[in-house]
Amino acid sequence: MSFLYRYFDLEGHDTTVRVESVSGLTTFLAMAYITVVNPSILSEAGMDFGAVFVATCIAAAFGTMVMGIYANYPIAQAPGMGQNAFFAFSVVIGMGHSWQTALGAVFLSGVIFVVLSVLPVREWLINAIPRNLKLGMASGIGLFLGFIALKNAGVVVDNPATLVALGDLTKLEPLVCIGAFAVIAALSARGVRGAVLIGILLAAAVGWVTGNAAFHGVVAMPPSPAPVLLQLDIAAAFQWSMVTVVLSMLIVDVFDTAGTLVGVATRAGLVDEQGHLPRLRKALLSDSTATVVGAVAGTSSTTSYIESAAGVEAGGRTGLTAVVCGLLFLACLFLAPLAQSVPAYATAAALLFVACLMARSLADIEWGDVSESAPAVIAALTMPLSFSIADGIGLGFISYVLIKLVS
């Protein structure tokens, strides 16, 4: 016990092992939904659900524990929402690449991120992208996730005349999704930890009771990771057509990580007088190496999670919070039957809620300057309507340059 106090400097951060442990549990409950949602999304790309479940738990556990032990931050990591949608729906389904090639692209983006984390280039890269475009990209990914959620639940359907239309809301799937979304939002508004996980389980329970979804059990030995483990195709990722994919993965990962680190560390009071993060290089290295390991294990880009703020609000101030959370992700490996029992419309409710949170970035756009706001809106709108995050980012950059030049 004394070793923990010394290594994590618990006294210096005015915290205890008990507080850090409770905070780690709180963070885990706030983001445990990813162990179900991520395999659900990546299985759309043809990947094995059980194997991706294992890869998700391993990537989350590794990244979170490295962040805690090496960087001493109470920040958890897992395969990122938005990155997984880009992987499955844009790269594999939209562009026609194999998921093995997409994993190779994740690996390459992670390696580049590692290099950038060591070199001072990362500050230049982060500062080079206009702030309003960053906000437009974040909100656009949220809108894209929301569109995917509504599609998966049958709330919106394809229509030959209007492209999309409202689905049959009298069916069980859209009704349960909407109901679960309302529960998640209501519980979150009341500050209930694990609101997303509760909503998913309630929706799944309705499916099990009505016979609309099969219940496979709760606990079992972890599934075999073989179908996705070490299946990345790095050579194929060096194709010219993959350049924009790798860069898109890198950009999203870098900015998502930077925003989360600054936001959570600020709320925890871990920044210095100048507003800078101590041990920033260690934190970025923890994040980037987690992406590399995740690609090898068989999942999309791993990133720092804003849900870590839940653990910070519970009192977490050191890496011990992250270590506890990481150990819980390892324990999750034995809950694969429960994860496989959750129907798509249950995870769609969680996706829709995450979309609402990410879309809040629109509020911070500089609306008074149309040369700043218009490109951000173009990027945000194009992502869901083109069903491509990369296309949205590209059109955002192009419109920004053109509008600035002409004006």
Side-chain angles (χ1 to χ4, degrees), residues 2 20 39 44 109 123 143 192 210 268 309 314 375 399 401 405:
S2 60
E20 295 292 300
E44 296 280 345
S109 70
E123 285 90 356
L143 295 176
V192 176
T210 60
S399 61
V401 173
L405 283 174

Side-chain angles (χ1 to χ4, degrees), residues 86-363:
F86 176 61
F87 181 105
F89 298 103
S90 293
V91 181
V92 178
I93 297 176
M95 301 176 68
H97 295 290
S98 69
W99 59 262
Q100 291 90 342
T101 301
L103 282 179
V106 173
F107 180 85
L108 290 180
S109 70
V111 171
I112 297 173
F113 193 7
V114 170
V115 175
L116 293 179
S117 299
V118 175
L119 301 175
V121 179
R122 67 183 187 274
E123 285 90 356
W124 173 85
L125 182 62
I126 292 173
N127 294 329
I129 307 299
R131 176 178 178 272
N132 289 287
L133 265 185
K134 296 176 189 175
L135 295 172
M137 289 160 53
S139 56
I141 293 173
L143 295 176
F144 186 41
L145 287 176
F147 185 62
I148 293 171
L150 295 174
K151 180 184 75 72
N152 288 349
V155 177
V156 296
V157 295
D158 64 319
N159 185 290
T162 60
L163 295 182
V164 293
L166 189 66
D168 185 358
L169 299 186
T170 62
K171 291 184 176 180
L172 178 69
E173 291 86 348
L175 282 176
V176 172
C177 173
I178 295 172
F181 167 74
V183 169
I184 293 171
L187 292 178
S188 180
R190 295 183 64 85
V192 176
R193 307 301 185 196
V196 174
L197 187 61
I198 292 172
I200 290 176
L201 292 177
L202 284 177
V206 172
W208 301 332
V209 170
T210 60
N212 190 266
F215 180 71
H216 302 291
V218 178
V219 179
M221 291 300 293
S224 171
V228 299
L229 180 65
L230 297 173
Q231 296 301 308
L232 64 167
D233 189 344
I234 300 176
F238 276 100
Q239 301 175 47
W240 179 252
S241 61
M242 293 299 292
V243 172
T244 56
V245 172
V246 173
L247 290 178
S248 296
M249 290 178 173
L250 176 65
I251 289 172
V252 173
D253 201 8
V254 168
F255 295 133
D256 192 20
T257 296
T260 300
L261 287 174
V262 172
V264 175
T266 300
R267 293 179 68 172
L270 300 177
V271 295
D272 59 22
E273 293 79 6
Q274 289 76 36
H276 299 154
L277 276 71
R279 308 181 305 280
L280 175 60
R281 178 170 297 183
K282 289 185 176 182
L284 290 172
L285 277 172
S286 301
D287 193 293
S288 53
T289 53
T291 291
V292 174
V293 171
V296 172
T299 185
S300 52
S301 302
T302 302
T303 187
S304 300
Y305 261 61
I306 194 63
E307 283 85 350
S308 302
V312 167
E313 293 297 329
R317 292 295 181 271
T318 73
L320 183 56
T321 292
V323 171
V324 171
C325 183
L327 291 173
L328 290 172
F329 272 116
L330 285 180
C332 245
L333 284 169
F334 299 93
L335 300 178
L338 181 60
Q340 291 176 316
S341 301
V342 177
Y345 50 83
T347 57
L351 281 178
L352 190 57
F353 180 70
V354 172
C356 293
L357 297 182
M358 296 184 71
R360 291 187 299 188
S361 298
L362 288 170

